[in-house]
Amino acid sequence: MTLQPPRTEGEPAPTVRPRRVPDYRLRGLDLDAPVFTDASPRPVRTKHPANRRRRRRLLVQWAIVLVVIAVVAVLLRAFVVQPYSVGSTSMVPTLSPGTDVLVVKWSALTGAIKAGDVIVTHEPSNATCTPGGGHAHDVVARVIGLPGETIWSVAGTIYVNGQRLDEPGWYNPPSGEVGSADIVRTTIPQGSYFVMGDNRSDSCDSRSFGPVPRSLFIGTVVATIARNGHPVVHGI
């Protein structure tokens, strides 16, 4: 205990300062350390040049693949297969209007043209009739006579090289074998074919424009793929 000297009358009382008690909770805290108010910014990750090159190379590869697919599709349509829509009644009942068929252009896939094949051909320039339908200058018909054969009709019956034509249900029964237009005696030139529609009463065919050169053929019909917009796959 600290003793204070006696205080005289009128002398102000001495100021007693409180004793400072150390705060042990701050032990080890450096009060003089600098204060950081903002956090250090995160480093920005830059895209590696190798990644950009890899993505660029991938895009180029995909572009090449798409171009190749497009070229193959164009080549297939131009030289191998092509869809065709029947727009006339000349092939009823085999093919009705609104039927989509698959035409094979490459003869290596279908073999030699034979009697009974259904083909699509460009209309010959000497045609005096109109095929009609969506392809006004194309004819869909059936091969009846082959190169070198002689064909004609008598009393509604077709003869090829003196033998009656054996048609296993090709033509439309109500119209008969030749309909209202007979076939004049014709020897088919080499490289040409005599074609007729199955609907013999309503068909623009070789009775009008004669035998058709093979060079005008677009291809051979191998199957139906749709009818009036509905998928229907059926061989011809």
Side-chain angles (χ1 to χ4, degrees):
M1 177 182 295
T2 303
L3 298 177
Q4 297 293 336
R7 182 167 52 93
T8 58
E9 186 178 352
E11 183 180 358
T15 302
V16 179
R17 295 181 178 181
R19 183 179 180 184
R20 183 177 182 181
V21 180
D23 188 351
Y24 294 100
R25 293 175 299 176
L26 300 180
R27 181 180 299 174
L29 180 63
D30 187 359
L31 299 179
D32 295 329
V35 177
F36 297 95
T37 57
D38 296 329
S40 301
R42 295 183 178 181
V44 179
R45 296 182 60 183
T46 58
K47 296 182 179 179
H48 199 278
N51 294 335
R52 289 197 297 268
R53 287 194 298 268
R54 189 178 300 110
R55 281 194 295 270
R56 189 180 301 115
R57 184 167 57 251
L58 185 61
L59 291 175
V60 171
Q61 291 173 349
W62 272 108
I64 294 174
V65 169
L66 293 177
V67 170
V68 170
I69 292 175
V71 171
V72 169
V74 171
L75 293 177
L76 285 175
R77 183 180 179 88
F79 300 106
V80 183
V81 295
Q82 176 183 341
Y84 179 90
S85 181
V86 178
S88 71
T89 59
S90 64
M91 284 299 293
V92 171
T94 306
L95 299 173
S96 58
T99 301
D100 295 332
V101 297
L102 188 65
V103 178
V104 175
K105 297 183 175 182
W106 194 16
S107 59
L109 297 177
T110 57
I113 300 294
K114 58 186 180 297
D117 285 350
V118 178
I119 57 91
V120 178
T121 178
H122 296 298
E123 180 187 19
S125 59
N126 61 338
T128 58
C129 57
T130 302
H135 301 262
H137 299 288
D138 293 341
V139 177
V140 55
R142 190 181 297 275
V143 174
I144 300 299
L146 303 177
E149 294 180 337
T150 300
I151 185 171
W152 70 92
S153 69
V154 176
T157 301
I158 300 175
Y159 294 89
V160 177
N161 289 342
Q163 302 294 322
R164 180 172 180 172
L165 178 64
D166 182 17
E167 293 189 83
W170 293 341
Y171 63 89
N172 189 21
S175 65
E177 289 187 46
V178 295
S180 58
D182 288 331
I183 304 173
V184 299
R185 190 180 184 92
T186 304
T187 298
I188 305 169
Q190 293 298 323
S192 296
Y193 298 82
F194 199 94
V195 301
M196 297 179 68
D198 287 352
N199 188 10
R200 306 289 164 78
S201 294
D202 185 18
S203 175
C204 181
D205 53 35
S206 288
R207 291 173 293 177
S208 169
F209 43 70
V212 181
R214 177 68 176 84
S215 59
L216 291 182
F217 283 16
I218 297 174
T220 303
V221 177
V222 296
T224 62
I225 54 179
R227 186 175 293 116
N228 295 323
H230 302 287
V232 176
V233 179
H234 187 274
I236 298 296

